[in-house]
């Protein structure tokens, strides 16, 4: 789309939106947010980018194929379930480690998997439609 | 796909993967050998892990004599076939995939013969069906390979469903799924009113898998696969799965006239039909496929017997057949690989250029023909003994065995003499011997065929008897010996050889006669299969064109109509009881939001420009998201807002490409009215349902549980997210799987639309 206002605004917006998406992803455990919302946010950012700069630029920016990203997300989700059985608990049981003041656990990995799976799915369809 | 004439004797580099992966079957073989002495002493190795105790499904495995015999055959053939394939398959694409399928298949097959639970066995059974489909259709760029793979899948898969039905019937009748316990309650099984149903269901599964008439035709057609696959699946392993199941269920289900009579008749019929057809084709592989049918028929026949003798005959012939058939398949593959043809009319004189292969084939065919000193001779002797002692139809069993054995002798002569003897054809003089990887298997199996024929006592004590003891309560010892003295079986053996020689002499007129008869048959089972499949596809096509006519408008109308009818019919009688209004306790801004949503909806419906309609849709979405926010659900509001934004982007991407709305012909008045009626009825139903929901007090116990548990158990204050990624994360995993699959399907649909 040939709009200089949109183009200029997009350059600023996309970066901010992506950073915000990461923020939403990480705060999700305590405040509204989480992997799904973050993926939608990042998807919207890339959609904006694709509308102004074209889908090829988006593909170049994300480097990996969107479906690969989605599959990686699924694999991460599965992998996050494995420490549970390893510790003798049911599949996908959350396992937590205390690292100083913050606790890190498998649900974080799982959330990251959700993020990648949803974002990859959105991007694969979006870019395909854009190229059509 | 591969070079016609391979001249190099060296192993190409690209096959290191095959050489390396042959360590897996070799390792398993060695493991089985380590367990062998204990099994011979009567020890049974068992492991048991619970899987789904409520279904009586456990990861239970056992290694007894029968499992060991099959396991040794599977892993040994697996090793030689992998080694062979590492050279044979050079030049094929997707080799990695090939070895994964092959070894997956081998493991599934081992799973069948080692599981100690019927349901577990069924899972492995299905795995072999699916993997054999992938292997038969390995040359998937050829229509014939795809078709034959589909045929095998439909027939063996369909039989698998019958088997499952039989197993579930057994289970529903209260019988245990573990083989040991099932065998112990054998008398109850046989006396059960549903016994014929158990038997027939399981029998159909066995017959499809083991190529019994009338389900036999998929097996010769499966010869489309590359030769290592044919050698492994259709000679030594998969088709024997049915035989294995018959033997394994023998203690629990055999002993009735139904069992013996049916199996003897079906087995004898299959043996005769396979043996007669084996003299027909010119393609060496098809010849071998029909001889496999004969072997499977004979095995079924002897699995029908009740006596130790009959079972000994079955297990002995099983070994004889596995050894010579795998060797012959591999040798035929070698001939094909070196000369580029398997046509009997074009081959000849290969003895001079492929002497080692010729030697291996000599060993294998002599064993197949049942010459003295070879293992096949021992097998034939015990077969005649078993057939003569059969409880039902002994005459039929003996004649079927005799005729099919005589035909086998003739076919063995054809396989040995035609390609190897005689003058060398002009083009064939360039042919050279195959590399060692392709020679080792036929050679070792050929040598074993001779060795076992010389020391039958050892084989019988270490392999046959442990296998038979595992499935028969009587500890009657039937030793295989080299020479029994002059008796009826020996006379029958001599008769077989002379008959075979006679058939070999008259093979040309016999072949012509057979082909003429086969051509004139007005009814064939493959024809029946084809007609059935065609009819089914036509029916499916018609049905699909009705329910999938491509109009989104009709799809949506049907979905909404069904929803209205289903909910409405239940809901209508309760309608008078619900409150007509609901008190709105929200802030004043909520009322404004509702009006905003209503106006936006009106805009969407009445818009004359697409961009306006899209704007209206965005208004509805944002309004709903704000309603969530106002009523204290920020999490849902956030997600809703983001979903609406993305939906809007997608909708506009698609809609703005369509022809402009103002140029489109406006829909007819009646259609508009119909749509309006549907929409408002659906809206009314949902509205009344919501009103009714408000009347019942809210159950907050779950909320309380999550509120207290969230921080303690899951280290998170955001309950919604904690539920999503921790408490109910398995649901989420399923959901993201659906999302990814939907995206994948969507991408492919869009791409396909683009290609058109």
């Amino acid at each position: 789309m040939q709009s200089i206002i949109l183009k200029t605004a997009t350059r600023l917006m996309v970066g901010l939106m992506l950073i915000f998406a990461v923020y939403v992803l990480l705060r999700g455990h305590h405040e509204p947010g989480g992997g799904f919302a973050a993926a939608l946010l990042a998807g919207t950012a890339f959609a904006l980018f694709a509308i102004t700069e074209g889908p090829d630029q988006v593909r170049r920016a994300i480097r990996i194929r969107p479906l690969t990203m989605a599959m990686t997300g699924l694999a991460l989700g599965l992998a996050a379930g494995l420490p549970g059985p390893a510790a003798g608990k049911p599949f996908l049981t959350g396992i937590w480690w205390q690292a100083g003041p913050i606790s890190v656990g498998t649900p974080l990995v799982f959330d990251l998997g959700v993020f990648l799976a949803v974002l990859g799915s959105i991007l694969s369809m979006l870019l395909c439609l854009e190229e059509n | 796909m591969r070079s016609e004439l391979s001249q190099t004797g060296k192993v190409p580099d690209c096959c290191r993967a095959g050489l390396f992966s042959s360590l897996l079957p070799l390792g398993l073989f060695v493991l089985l050998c380590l367990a062998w002495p204990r099994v011979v002493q009567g020890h049974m190795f068992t492991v048991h892990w619970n899987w789904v105790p409520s279904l009586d499904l456990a990861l239970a495995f056992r290694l007894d004599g029968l499992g060991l015999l099959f396991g040794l055959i599977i892993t040994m053939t697996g090793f030689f076939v992998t080694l062979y394939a590492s050279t044979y398959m050079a030049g094929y694409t997707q080799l990695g995939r090939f070895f994964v399928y092959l070894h997956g298949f081998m493991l599934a097959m081992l799973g069948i013969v080692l599981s100690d639970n019927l349901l577990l066995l069924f899972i492995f059974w299905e795995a072999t069906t699916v993997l054999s489909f992938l292997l038969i259709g390995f040359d998937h760029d050829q229509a014939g390979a795809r078709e034959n793979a589909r045929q095998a899948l439909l027939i063996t898969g369909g039989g698998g469903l019958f088997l499952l039905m039989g197993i579930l019937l057994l289970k529903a009748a209260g019988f245990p799924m573990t083989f040991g316990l099932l065998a112990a309650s054998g008398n109850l099984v046989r006396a059960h009113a549903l016994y014929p149903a158990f038997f027939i269901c399981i029998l159909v599964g066995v017959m499809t898998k083991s190529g019994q008439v009338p389900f036999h035709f998929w097996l010769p057609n499966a010869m489309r696969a590359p030769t290592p696959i044919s050698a492994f699946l259709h000679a030594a392993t998969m088709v024997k799965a049915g035989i294995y199941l018959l033997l394994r269920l023998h203690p629990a289900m055999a002993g009735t006239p139904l069992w013996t009579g049916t199996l003897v008749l079906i087995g004898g019929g299959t043996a005769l039909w396979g043996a007669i057809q084996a003299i027909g084709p010119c393609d060496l592989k098809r010849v071998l496929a029909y001889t496999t049918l004969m072997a499977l028929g004979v095995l079924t026949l002897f699995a029908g017997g009740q006596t130790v003798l009959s079972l000994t005959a079955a297990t002995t012939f099983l070994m004889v057949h596995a050894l010579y058939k795998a060797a012959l398949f591999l040798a035929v593959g070698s001939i094909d690989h070196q000369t580029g043809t398997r046509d009997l009319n074009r081959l000849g004189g290969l003895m001079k250029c492929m002497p080692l292969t010729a030697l291996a084939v000599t060993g294998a065919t002599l064993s197949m023909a049942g010459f003295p000193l070879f293992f096949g001779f021992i097998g034939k002797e015990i077969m005649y003994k078993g057939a003569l002692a059969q409880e039902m139809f002994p005459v039929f069993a003996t004649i079927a065995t005799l005729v099919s054995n005589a035909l086998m002798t003739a076919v063995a002569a054809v396989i040995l003499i035609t390609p190897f003897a005689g003058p060398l054809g002009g083009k064939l003089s360039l042919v050279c011997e195959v590399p060692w990887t392709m020679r080792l298997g036929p050679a070792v199996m050929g040598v074993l065929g001779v060795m076992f024929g010389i020391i039958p006592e050892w084989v019988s004590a270490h392999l046959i008897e442990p296998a038979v003891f595992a499935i028969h309560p009587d500890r009657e010892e039937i030793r295989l010996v080299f020479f029994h003295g002059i008796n009826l079986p020996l006379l029958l053996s001599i008769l077989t050889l002379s008959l075979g020689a006679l058939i070999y002499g008259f093979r040309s007129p016999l072949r012509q006669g057979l082909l003429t008869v086969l051509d004139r048959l007005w009814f064939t089972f493959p024809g029946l299969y084809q007609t059935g499949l065609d009819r089914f596809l036509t029916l499916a096509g018609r049905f699909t064109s009705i329910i999938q006519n491509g109009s989104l408008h009709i799809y949506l109308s049907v979905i909404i109509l069904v929803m209205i009818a289903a909910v409405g019919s239940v809901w209508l009688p309760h309608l008078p009881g619900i409150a007509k209004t609901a008190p709105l306790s929200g802030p004043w801004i909520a009322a404004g939001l509702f009006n905003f949503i209503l106006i936006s909806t009106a805009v969407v419906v009445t818009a004359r420009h697409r961009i306006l309609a899209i704007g209206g849709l965005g208004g509805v979405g944002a309004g709903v998201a704000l309603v969530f926010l106002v009523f204290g659900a920020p999490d849902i509001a956030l997600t809703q807002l983001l979903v609406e934004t993305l939906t809007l982007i997608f909708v506009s991407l698609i809609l703005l490409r369509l022809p402009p709305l103002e140029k489109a012909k406006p829909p007819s008045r009646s259609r508009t009215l119909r749509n309006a009626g549907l929409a408002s009825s659906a809206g009314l139903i949902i509205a009344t349902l919501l009103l009714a929901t408000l009347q019942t007090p809210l159950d907050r116990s779950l909320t309380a549980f999550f509120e207290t548990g969230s921080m303690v158990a899951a280290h998170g204050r955001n309950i919604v997210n904690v539920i999503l990624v921790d408490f109910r994360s398995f649901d989420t995993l399923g959901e993201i799987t659906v999302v990814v699959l939907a995206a994948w399907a969507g991408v492919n649909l869009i791409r396909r639309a683009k290609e058109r």
Side-chain angles (χ1 to χ4, degrees):
Chain A
M1 206 181 275
Q2 295 303 320
S3 157
I4 194 127
I5 302 174
L6 186 63
K7 261 191 172 166
T8 316
T10 302
R11 298 229 172 114
L12 282 171
M13 291 286 290
V14 170
L16 283 176
M17 281 170 87
L18 288 178
I19 292 173
F20 187 59
V22 174
Y23 168 70
V24 168
L25 170 70
L26 291 178
R27 85 201 275 260
H29 220 59
H30 292 303
E31 309 292 335
F36 185 66
L40 295 175
L41 203 54
T44 313
F46 281 120
L48 196 59
F49 197 42
I51 287 169
T52 54
E53 305 285 340
D56 285 344
Q57 289 291 333
V58 179
R59 284 199 195 275
R60 208 166 300 157
I62 57 175
R63 282 153 203 267
I64 57 169
R65 285 175 57 215
L67 272 177
T68 315
M69 184 194 280
M71 295 298 169
T72 314
L74 270 189
L76 264 185
L78 272 176
L82 294 180
K89 288 172 184 167
F91 180 63
L92 275 171
T93 309
I95 306 286
W96 290 89
W97 295 276
Q98 201 68 34
I102 42 170
S103 42
V104 184
T106 52
L108 185 68
V109 181
F110 187 81
D111 221 5
L112 195 64
V114 172
F115 173 76
L116 288 179
V118 176
L119 180 59
S121 304
I122 292 172
L123 283 179
S124 60
M125 298 241 276
L126 183 86
L127 295 180
C128 217
L129 275 176
E130 276 277 345
E131 282 158 0
N132 204 350
Chain B
M1 232 166 160
R2 106 189 154 232
S3 59
E4 274 260 308
L5 285 163
S6 166
Q7 298 297 335
T8 51
K10 267 171 44 185
V11 183
D13 280 343
C14 54
C15 314
R16 303 269 176 250
L19 285 181
F20 180 71
S21 67
S22 68
L23 289 178
L24 173 71
L26 186 65
L28 289 169
F29 181 74
V30 170
L31 273 181
L32 286 174
C33 285
L34 290 178
W36 194 350
R38 297 282 309 275
V39 173
V40 171
Q41 288 162 13
H43 186 79
M44 190 167 86
F45 294 88
T46 50
V47 277
H48 185 107
W49 295 293
N50 274 333
W51 186 0
V52 190
S54 54
L55 290 180
D56 201 0
L57 171 60
L59 284 169
F61 297 94
R62 71 149 160 203
L63 179 64
D64 58 7
L66 188 67
L68 178 80
L69 177 67
F70 273 90
L72 286 174
I73 292 176
I74 291 164
T75 48
M76 188 184 77
T77 327
F79 169 65
F80 288 131
V81 165
T82 313
L83 203 59
Y84 183 90
S86 69
T87 309
Y88 184 91
M89 299 297 287
Y92 276 82
T93 45
Q94 301 178 323
L95 268 186
R97 195 181 286 192
F98 172 79
F99 285 113
V100 169
Y101 291 164
L102 193 71
H103 287 135
F105 176 84
M106 183 189 69
L107 293 177
M109 202 57 216
L110 274 180
I112 289 183
V113 300
L114 296 181
S115 25
D116 195 13
N117 183 295
L118 255 175
L119 288 168
L120 185 65
L121 180 140
F122 175 75
I123 291 167
F124 287 119
W125 183 283
E126 288 296 277
T128 60
T129 302
V130 173
L131 285 162
S132 78
F133 165 74
L134 295 170
L135 284 167
I136 296 170
F138 189 70
D139 289 333
H140 53 76
D141 45 0
Q142 294 171 21
R146 290 199 298 271
E147 194 148 309
N148 294 339
R150 186 179 64 178
Q151 189 179 57
L153 179 72
L154 287 179
I155 293 178
T156 55
L161 289 182
F162 272 91
L163 174 64
L164 179 64
M165 207 148 70
I167 295 174
L168 292 182
L169 275 177
L170 266 176
K171 198 168 134 42
F175 291 108
M177 290 288 103
T178 312
F179 285 119
L181 298 176
L182 190 64
S185 49
N187 287 331
L188 292 175
V189 176
R190 282 182 282 263
H192 200 275
L194 281 176
Y195 173 77
F198 306 151
F199 173 67
I200 287 166
C201 286
I202 291 174
L203 182 71
V204 172
V206 166
M207 284 168 69
T208 52
K209 196 83 165 176
S210 285
Q212 301 295 313
V213 173
F215 305 112
H216 59 288
F217 51 90
W218 71 265
L219 183 63
N221 287 344
M223 293 300 127
R224 267 286 193 154
T227 304
I229 298 169
S230 313
F232 193 39
L233 269 67
H234 309 121
T237 53
M238 175 161 120
V239 290
K240 302 269 172 69
I243 309 296
Y244 170 80
L245 188 63
L246 285 181
L247 293 175
R248 180 54 85 198
L249 288 176
H250 204 275
M253 293 182 73
T256 59
L258 182 65
W259 171 283
T260 308
T262 319
L263 289 186
V264 168
L265 288 180
I266 288 176
T270 305
L272 282 175
W273 186 235
I276 290 170
Q277 282 198 295
I279 60 169
C282 293
D283 178 355
L284 267 173
K285 258 176 94 178
R286 275 191 92 83
V287 173
L288 289 179
Y290 283 117
T291 62
T292 306
L293 285 185
M294 170 268 170
L296 293 170
V298 168
L299 288 171
T300 308
L301 191 158
F302 286 111
Q306 321 294 336
T307 54
V308 177
L309 188 64
S310 183
L311 293 177
T312 308
T315 39
T316 312
F317 186 58
L318 180 89
M319 275 187 71
V320 173
H321 176 254
L323 284 177
Y324 77 68
K325 189 51 66 63
L328 284 181
F329 259 115
L330 294 181
V332 164
S334 297
I335 295 175
D336 188 17
H337 189 254
Q338 299 305 91
T339 65
T341 180
R342 301 191 301 256
D343 192 331
L344 280 167
N345 297 325
R346 292 172 59 194
L347 291 168
L350 288 177
M351 177 117 69
K352 297 179 193 79
C353 39
M354 297 175 72
L356 296 165
T357 305
L359 207 62
V361 170
T362 312
T365 45
L366 287 181
S367 181
M368 176 176 167
F371 269 85
L373 277 185
F374 287 88
F375 195 33
F377 176 73
I378 313 283
K380 200 156 55 176
E381 294 276 282
I382 189 87
M383 265 153 71
Y384 286 134
K385 266 196 209 163
L388 287 168
Q390 197 63 271
E391 296 90 340
M392 292 177 74
F393 314 114
V395 180
F396 171 74
T398 312
I399 292 176
T401 319
L402 177 72
V403 174
S404 45
N405 268 329
L407 281 158
M408 279 311 96
T409 310
V411 172
V414 172
I415 295 171
L416 176 62
I417 297 172
T418 315
F420 289 103
L424 199 59
K427 195 185 166 197
L428 295 182
S429 58
L430 291 171
V431 170
C432 60
E433 186 58 273
V434 285
W436 68 272
T437 46
M438 290 172 71
R439 284 201 310 264
L440 189 66
V444 170
M445 288 187 270
V447 167
L448 283 181
V450 186
M451 225 171 74
F452 286 178
I454 298 171
I455 48 160
E457 291 89 351
W458 183 86
V459 179
S460 123
H462 289 86
L463 282 166
I464 310 288
E465 276 171 16
V468 175
F469 285 165
I471 49 174
H472 204 283
D474 296 346
R475 294 247 143 192
E476 181 190 352
E477 283 202 356
I478 297 205
R479 273 288 146 97
L480 302 174
V481 292
F482 181 63
F483 186 64
H484 284 279
I486 312 283
N487 54 12
L488 191 53
L490 183 69
L491 293 178
L492 284 173
S493 271
I494 296 168
L495 187 61
T496 309
L497 288 177
S498 359
L499 259 179
L502 203 66
I503 295 170
Y504 180 75
F506 288 101
R507 67 187 185 283
S508 300
L510 278 175
R511 178 182 292 164
Q512 285 310 320
L514 175 73
L515 293 179
T516 322
V517 171
L518 285 181
D519 271 349
R520 298 221 176 128
L521 281 183
W522 56 271
F523 168 83
T524 55
F525 291 111
L528 191 67
Y529 163 83
Q530 199 54 49
T531 323
L533 190 64
D534 291 344
R535 293 251 168 93
F536 182 75
L537 289 179
T538 318
L539 186 73
R542 274 191 210 144
F543 196 61
T544 309
S545 64
I546 293 171
I547 59 167
Q548 302 270 325
N549 52 12
S551 160
L552 276 178
H553 179 256
I554 291 183
Y555 294 169
L556 262 184
S557 309
V558 169
I559 292 172
I560 295 173
L561 203 65
V562 169
M563 196 274 287
I564 293 171
V567 179
S569 58
V570 181
W571 185 228
L572 218 53
H574 301 280
L575 213 51
I578 60 165
K580 301 291 180 292
T581 54
L584 255 185
S585 56
W588 59 269
I589 198 167
L593 274 175
F594 285 128
N595 289 327
F596 174 67
I597 294 172
L598 277 177
I599 293 166
S600 305
T601 315
V603 169
V604 176
V605 177
T606 56
R608 299 287 300 146
H609 295 271
R610 287 201 196 280
I611 195 87
L612 191 61
I614 294 170
L617 207 58
V620 176
V624 172
L626 286 176
V627 168
F628 283 130
L629 190 66
V630 167
F631 284 94
D635 228 314
I636 301 173
L638 174 68
T639 314
Q640 177 78 18
L641 200 60
L642 289 168
V643 166
E644 289 296 339
T645 314
L646 255 181
T647 312
L648 214 58
I649 292 173
F650 271 94
V651 168
S652 40
L653 272 180
I654 297 162
L655 282 190
L656 291 182
R657 266 153 226 251
L658 297 177
L661 203 59
E662 54 272 24
K663 282 188 192 153
K665 192 165 72 81
S668 69
R669 207 177 157 68
S670 62
R671 185 168 163 172
T672 313
L673 278 177
R674 212 162 49 230
N675 289 347
L678 266 181
S680 31
S681 325
L684 266 175
I685 284 196
I686 297 293
T688 51
L689 277 176
L690 284 176
L691 281 174
T693 315
L694 285 178
Q695 283 180 330
T696 48
L698 210 56
D699 181 4
R700 296 195 70 90
S701 57
L702 271 181
T703 318
F705 166 77
F706 285 122
E707 267 169 359
T708 49
S710 164
M711 197 59 206
V712 186
H715 301 247
R717 280 196 306 272
N718 177 2
I719 303 171
V720 178
N721 206 53
V722 164
I723 292 174
L724 281 177
V725 300
D726 201 332
F727 285 117
R728 310 281 312 169
S729 50
F730 205 44
D731 287 353
T732 313
L733 190 62
E735 281 153 18
I736 59 173
T737 313
V738 171
V739 167
V740 172
L741 286 179
W744 196 2
V747 166
N748 283 313
L749 282 177
I750 298 168
R751 288 220 179 108
R752 184 185 272 196
K754 224 188 290 184
E755 278 162 15
R756 283 220 181 113

